[in-house]
Amino acid sequence: MVLNSQDNKTLEKSFEVIKPGGKIVSISGPPTPIFAEEHRLPWYVKLATRFLSSKIRKRAKKQNVNYSFLFMTANGKQLSEITHLIETGKIKPVIDKVFAFEKTNDALQYIESGRAKGKVVIKMK
């Protein structure tokens, strides 16, 4: 399984590492007609999602991979559960670099460079 949270270039690279029968979930797009249907969006949005995701859906079908779009919303209960999973070591986030708040611009440049191999953290205090 691949969870894509970056740009379309990274999403395309996901297809290079996924095995047939695998699943790619993207929180950065493109949304699919299934997503539009599940959220009861208007017909013209459904049509737009069909067009926007056509290339990715075709590639997924060709490679026997399941592709879906996940729309992220803040949910306190889910965030608490994720916190618990991290604290108990069941999920281990990979932290690449930590930047002081004053260095936020440097952190953004580092992310945009494509060199980050994990999460980039901005330390507030």
Side-chain angles (χ1 to χ4, degrees):
M1 179 177 183
V2 174
L3 174 60
N4 176 57
S5 61
Q6 296 186 356
D7 56 13
N8 282 340
K9 184 178 175 184
T10 306
L11 177 58
E12 290 288 336
K13 288 182 181 179
S14 299
F15 282 93
E16 297 170 15
V17 299
I18 197 81
K19 293 180 181 179
K23 183 170 182 72
I24 297 175
V25 178
S26 180
I27 62 173
S28 58
T32 63
I34 292 171
F35 165 80
E37 188 67 40
E38 288 172 348
H39 288 81
R40 297 184 176 100
L41 299 176
W43 67 269
Y44 53 89
V45 176
K46 292 176 187 174
L47 182 62
T49 60
R50 183 170 304 282
F51 174 73
L52 291 171
S53 66
S54 64
K55 181 179 173 186
I56 291 295
R57 290 183 298 111
K58 285 177 187 173
R59 184 162 183 190
K61 185 176 181 178
K62 182 179 178 183
Q63 290 184 227
N64 189 28
V65 170
N66 181 296
Y67 169 78
S68 60
F69 172 76
L70 176 64
F71 184 70
M72 300 293 293
T73 57
N75 180 308
K77 183 179 176 190
Q78 287 178 345
L79 292 173
S80 292
E81 289 175 23
I82 291 169
T83 300
H84 175 72
L85 291 171
I86 291 170
E87 289 173 347
T88 58
K90 293 182 180 173
I91 294 177
K92 295 179 183 174
V94 176
I95 298 176
D96 183 292
K97 259 186 169 180
V98 178
F99 290 85
F101 180 74
E102 297 77 26
K103 299 287 185 175
T104 298
N105 286 338
D106 293 341
L108 293 172
Q109 286 178 342
Y110 182 67
I111 292 167
E112 290 173 356
S113 75
R115 294 187 312 244
K117 302 295 181 203
K119 297 297 179 189
V120 175
V121 177
I122 307 290
K123 189 172 181 180
M124 300 303 286
K125 291 184 181 180

